[in-house]
Amino acid sequence: MKKIKSSIHVIGLVFSIALNSQTNNLTSSPYSLFGLGVESSISTGRNSAMGNSGIALDASNGFNLYNPAAFASMVEDNFVLEFGVTAEMVNISNSDINESRNTYNFSNISIGYNRAKYGIGLTLNPATNIGYELIGLENNVEGSNDIFYTNVTGSGGINEMRLDYGYKLTDKINLGAKLSYLFGKVEETESIVASTNYLEIYEESFYSGVRFGLGAQYNLLDTHKFGVTLDFPTSLGATKNSLVIKYNLGSSSTLEDTTDERINSFDLPLQLGFGYSAKFNNLLFTTDYNKRFWSSTNQTDAIGKYVDQDIYSIGFSYKINPQSRKYFERVDYRVGLNYNSGYLKIDDTKIDSFNTSLGLGLPLGKSSTLNFSYTYSNKGTTKDILVQERSNMFNINLTLSDLWFQKRKYN
């Protein structure tokens, strides 16, 4: 009982830190200006080093958030706590600029356990990230030769608090469901500077909503596994606070001050996912395909339009000898590839990305793991007015596992 109470205290502390950390920028991408920001590329455990794949993978070695059905395959009577941090170094370039930006932050926390035929988990993680700066935009005052300059900065994003449930229907079939509460804030500050006056515009937009998903996995001959996922479309309701202040020759006046103004909701599309994995001795192979039907949301944006998104991923992991007493023969070596067609189209150009990843799973004790992963990403293009992002992301993720619920035996 003491172990359970102390574990609950630790979980509460880590979740509190996570909720505060999620308010900081987890990206420095100019493309986060679009919609509610860029999709989070952060994953848990081994998945981040395997091309962000895992629809057909089990959860015997830690969490697998790519399919809720995987929670049924967690080790029975095991309580698992997983959390991680990430660092991203991005180079942004086009025909006019070439600069580097760095971001560091808490990435995710998950807790879960398995009892008999079912497994359950609770996760907090970023769903989208916003972090952009547009400095020194030069414009002419209409009808004159006067010039004014505009500076725009944005931050925030959407977080996901998610409950997963997996049930072992038979020895070969696992079913699962997930319920997500999506919430977050988008902050934007715009400064307009002219020769004699200065305008400051502050906006805070708050979004929230609920999303439901389903998943299933089928095990064929304990070697081949198939998975499928379905995320239902939903709308995130929104309100906005605005403050506009004008400064002129040492004086200031408030032009606008509104709170809780209803604004357009943001729609998330139907999403389908299919996965396959196979194990050959100590080599594990997995591949996924995801389809997101953004065009059916009929949403528009000032700088581009939403198009259907296709994501292809493939991953491998290898252990020399999982039962060996030699430490490095039990290390899990991982590598993966990922192609994302993107859901943003600007000037008839889709903003796609290609990612390569690799990593290690270092065993700690009998059932815990320290995960390291590195991902190189190439996103966008220097064509026309667009920018290209080359990023290096490092992720450290700790999976702690312990037996609960089992009765101790004494001789």
Side-chain angles (χ1 to χ4, degrees), residues 166-190:
Y167 181 76
K168 184 179 289 296
L169 184 65
T170 69
D171 290 340
K172 296 183 178 296
I173 300 175
N174 293 337
L175 302 178
K178 65 177 182 179
L179 181 66
S180 297
Y181 174 61
L182 299 161
F183 64 98
K185 178 172 66 171
V186 177
E187 298 179 274
E188 183 174 273
T189 301
E190 183 176 359

Side-chain angles (χ1 to χ4, degrees), residues 141-242:
V141 177
E142 187 175 353
S144 73
N145 294 323
D146 293 339
I147 296 175
F148 67 92
Y149 298 91
T150 302
N151 302 320
V152 183
T153 61
S155 63
I158 302 300
N159 307 309
E160 179 184 32
M161 181 70 78
R162 170 176 157 181
L163 180 66
D164 287 85
Y165 177 84
Y167 181 76
K168 184 179 289 296
L169 184 65
T170 69
D171 290 340
K172 296 183 178 296
I173 300 175
N174 293 337
L175 302 178
K178 65 177 182 179
L179 181 66
S180 297
Y181 174 61
L182 299 161
F183 64 98
K185 178 172 66 171
V186 177
E187 298 179 274
E188 183 174 273
T189 301
E190 183 176 359
S191 303
I192 302 175
V193 183
S195 58
T196 60
N197 55 62
Y198 175 82
L199 196 66
E200 194 81 23
I201 304 171
Y202 304 94
E203 289 186 349
E204 292 180 324
S205 301
F206 300 87
Y207 293 85
S208 63
V210 175
R211 194 177 198 185
F212 184 67
L214 298 172
Q217 291 182 329
Y218 176 73
N219 186 355
L220 177 64
L221 303 176
D222 293 326
T223 301
H224 305 276
K225 293 182 180 179
F226 302 87
V228 60
T229 58
L230 168 65
D231 289 345
F232 292 94
T234 191
S235 294
L236 304 183
T239 60
K240 182 175 71 173
N241 300 336
S242 301

Side-chain angles (χ1 to χ4, degrees), residues 65-77:
L65 298 179
Y66 287 88
N67 192 334
F71 279 78
S73 61
M74 293 175 64
V75 177
E76 187 173 347
D77 294 325

Side-chain angles (χ1 to χ4, degrees), residues 349-410:
T349 301
K350 294 184 74 172
I351 310 303
D352 60 355
S353 64
F354 181 78
N355 311 288
T356 59
S357 58
L358 54 88
L360 297 172
L362 304 178
L364 302 175
K366 293 183 178 180
S367 53
S368 298
T369 308
L370 180 61
N371 301 287
F372 294 91
S373 68
Y374 163 77
T375 302
Y376 174 78
S377 176
N378 193 333
K379 180 177 182 179
T381 176
T382 57
K383 177 183 176 183
D384 298 327
I385 62 171
L386 302 177
V387 298
Q388 185 174 47
E389 298 177 11
R390 295 184 176 90
S391 68
N392 297 276
M393 178 178 288
F394 300 87
N395 190 29
I396 301 176
N397 186 283
L398 180 61
T399 303
L400 300 174
S401 181
D402 195 10
L403 286 173
W404 278 23
F405 309 112
Q406 285 190 344
K407 295 181 179 180
R408 297 185 181 274
K409 296 181 180 181
Y410 300 92

Side-chain angles (χ1 to χ4, degrees), residues 207-386:
Y207 293 85
S208 63
V210 175
R211 194 177 198 185
F212 184 67
L214 298 172
Q217 291 182 329
Y218 176 73
N219 186 355
L220 177 64
L221 303 176
D222 293 326
T223 301
H224 305 276
K225 293 182 180 179
F226 302 87
V228 60
T229 58
L230 168 65
D231 289 345
F232 292 94
T234 191
S235 294
L236 304 183
T239 60
K240 182 175 71 173
N241 300 336
S242 301
L243 178 63
V244 181
I245 303 176
K246 182 179 180 180
Y247 299 89
N248 188 11
L249 300 177
S251 63
S252 65
S253 59
T254 300
L255 303 182
E256 180 182 344
D257 188 359
T258 60
T259 58
D260 295 327
E261 176 189 358
R262 298 295 301 182
I263 59 176
N264 291 336
S265 60
F266 187 84
D267 295 331
L268 298 176
L270 175 72
Q271 177 177 329
L272 292 174
F274 305 92
Y276 166 75
S277 69
K279 192 169 185 179
F280 307 98
N281 296 321
N282 297 329
L283 176 65
L284 177 65
F285 163 79
T286 182
T287 183
D288 289 356
Y289 169 69
N290 284 277
K291 180 79 173 183
R292 298 173 183 173
F293 298 88
W294 283 98
S295 60
S296 64
T297 64
N298 296 317
Q299 296 180 118
T300 59
D301 194 278
I303 64 172
K305 65 178 182 179
Y306 294 87
V307 293
D308 289 345
Q309 181 181 17
D310 300 285
I311 304 174
Y312 305 87
S313 54
I314 185 173
F316 298 87
S317 71
Y318 177 73
K319 291 182 181 180
I320 298 174
N321 183 359
Q323 309 303 322
S324 175
R325 292 186 178 182
K326 296 180 179 179
Y327 183 81
F328 285 101
E329 291 187 359
R330 292 183 285 115
V331 170
D332 198 14
Y333 302 90
R334 303 158 180 165
V335 66
L337 300 172
N338 178 290
Y339 172 74
N340 188 335
S341 71
Y343 61 91
L344 170 59
K345 194 172 186 178
I346 302 175
D347 291 338
D348 292 325
T349 301
K350 294 184 74 172
I351 310 303
D352 60 355
S353 64
F354 181 78
N355 311 288
T356 59
S357 58
L358 54 88
L360 297 172
L362 304 178
L364 302 175
K366 293 183 178 180
S367 53
S368 298
T369 308
L370 180 61
N371 301 287
F372 294 91
S373 68
Y374 163 77
T375 302
Y376 174 78
S377 176
N378 193 333
K379 180 177 182 179
T381 176
T382 57
K383 177 183 176 183
D384 298 327
I385 62 171
L386 302 177

